Amino acid sequence: GQQVMQIPQYQHVQEGEDFTTYCNSSTTLSNIQWYKQRPGGHPVFLIQLVKSGEVKKQKRLTFQFGEAKKNSSLHITATQTTDVGTYFCALFTSAGKSTFGDGTTLTVKP
Amino acid sequence: DAGITQSPRHKVTETGTPVTLRCHQTENHRYMYWYRQDPGHGLRLIHYSYGVKDTDKGEVSDGYSVSRSKTEDFLLTLESATSSQTSVYFCAIGSETQYFGPGTRLLVL
């Protein structure tokens, strides 16, 4: 089945710095989703991207889907302590089967 | 949050005993999923269901079975628990946008 590689595994930043996590696939993806999981919590859906080159923004978060639909990124501008957690990308087949990346854990130093 | 509950929320059991985890939803979603989450492995799909009595395997299905006799309930059974099945188990509903339950922490001694 399709696989996604997510990098980096961990990222530690100073509050106010930017943060980016990348999701890469060797095959063309029909869609990509992003989730956030706070420490001790459950994953929460952030966004879905389906179009080649698509860019979506949610306040300080910018999501991109590559032109070839083989990669995606999540960029956070000026991180805050509320941004801590693990960010996952995920893909779903037409049959409903899901694959999640291993996640990028973000820690923010005040 | 979507209406998803998991029970029990915590469980300690011994190797070799059967364990059943329950996921209950009030959203009438067709798709339901079971994942396990371990450090360094993210979320790994165990089994999923696309309707009553319709289930399929995920990437880590060995040692697990599932049943879905009605839309709102999806059961995950460990027939004979092993220490390697110590994990946090999440249920989720929905296929295009997934909503997760609060999780069950299972410790197999």
Side-chain angles (χ1 to χ4, degrees), chain B residues 4-80:
Chain B
I4 311 167
T5 56
Q6 292 184 234
S7 58
R9 294 292 314 279
H10 303 269
K11 186 168 182 67
V12 180
T13 191
E14 294 186 347
T15 298
T17 60
V19 177
T20 295
L21 308 183
R22 180 184 184 231
C23 178
H24 178 78
Q25 60 143 332
T26 58
E27 306 297 319
N28 202 35
H29 264 290
R30 180 182 169 197
Y31 284 85
M32 297 185 75
Y33 299 75
W34 276 108
Y35 298 91
R36 61 178 289 173
Q37 186 172 37
D38 306 289
H41 288 283
L43 291 153
R44 292 185 290 175
L45 181 65
I46 305 172
H47 282 278
Y48 70 107
S49 170
Y50 45 95
V52 173
K53 299 191 188 303
D54 291 323
T55 66
D56 203 353
K57 296 179 179 180
E59 63 176 300
V60 291
S61 59
D62 287 349
Y64 302 94
S65 63
V66 289
S67 66
R68 188 152 178 219
S69 59
K70 45 186 179 176
T71 300
E72 55 266 36
D73 289 325
F74 193 30
L75 304 181
L76 176 70
T77 297
L78 291 64
E79 301 290 346
S80 179

Side-chain angles (χ1 to χ4, degrees), chain A residues 22-70:
Chain A
Y22 301 90
C23 188
N24 300 307
S25 171
S26 59
T27 59
T28 301
L29 305 172
S30 59
N31 64 81
I32 194 83
Q33 296 183 4
W34 287 92
Y35 292 79
K36 176 184 178 181
Q37 183 177 24
R38 295 181 185 275
H42 59 273
V44 175
F45 174 81
L46 294 176
I47 209 158
Q48 176 171 272
L49 305 172
V50 296
K51 298 178 182 178
S52 169
E54 189 170 14
V55 178
K56 289 188 176 180
K57 293 189 176 184
Q58 292 179 352
K59 297 183 180 179
R60 295 177 294 103
L61 277 61
T62 301
F63 304 85
Q64 290 189 316
F65 204 6
E67 293 290 340
K69 300 182 73 173
K70 289 185 176 181

Side-chain angles (χ1 to χ4, degrees), chain A:
Chain A
Q2 288 185 306
Q3 302 281 335
V4 285
M5 295 291 294
Q6 205 172 338
I7 55 172
Q9 188 175 3
Y10 300 98
Q11 186 80 58
H12 180 76
V13 300
Q14 193 79 32
E15 189 173 21
E17 293 181 337
D18 292 356
F19 159 77
T20 305
T21 175
Y22 301 90
C23 188
N24 300 307
S25 171
S26 59
T27 59
T28 301
L29 305 172
S30 59
N31 64 81
I32 194 83
Q33 296 183 4
W34 287 92
Y35 292 79
K36 176 184 178 181
Q37 183 177 24
R38 295 181 185 275
H42 59 273
V44 175
F45 174 81
L46 294 176
I47 209 158
Q48 176 171 272
L49 305 172
V50 296
K51 298 178 182 178
S52 169
E54 189 170 14
V55 178
K56 289 188 176 180
K57 293 189 176 184
Q58 292 179 352
K59 297 183 180 179
R60 295 177 294 103
L61 277 61
T62 301
F63 304 85
Q64 290 189 316
F65 204 6
E67 293 290 340
K69 300 182 73 173
K70 289 185 176 181
N71 56 74
S72 181
S73 65
L74 159 59
H75 179 83
I76 302 178
T77 303
T79 55
Q80 300 175 357
T81 55
T82 54
D83 294 325
V84 299
T86 301
Y87 293 84
F88 295 97
C89 62
L91 60 98
F92 290 79
T93 69
S94 57
K97 197 167 189 176
S98 60
T99 301
F100 276 75
D102 286 342
T104 296
T105 298
L106 172 66
T107 56
V108 179
K109 185 177 181 181

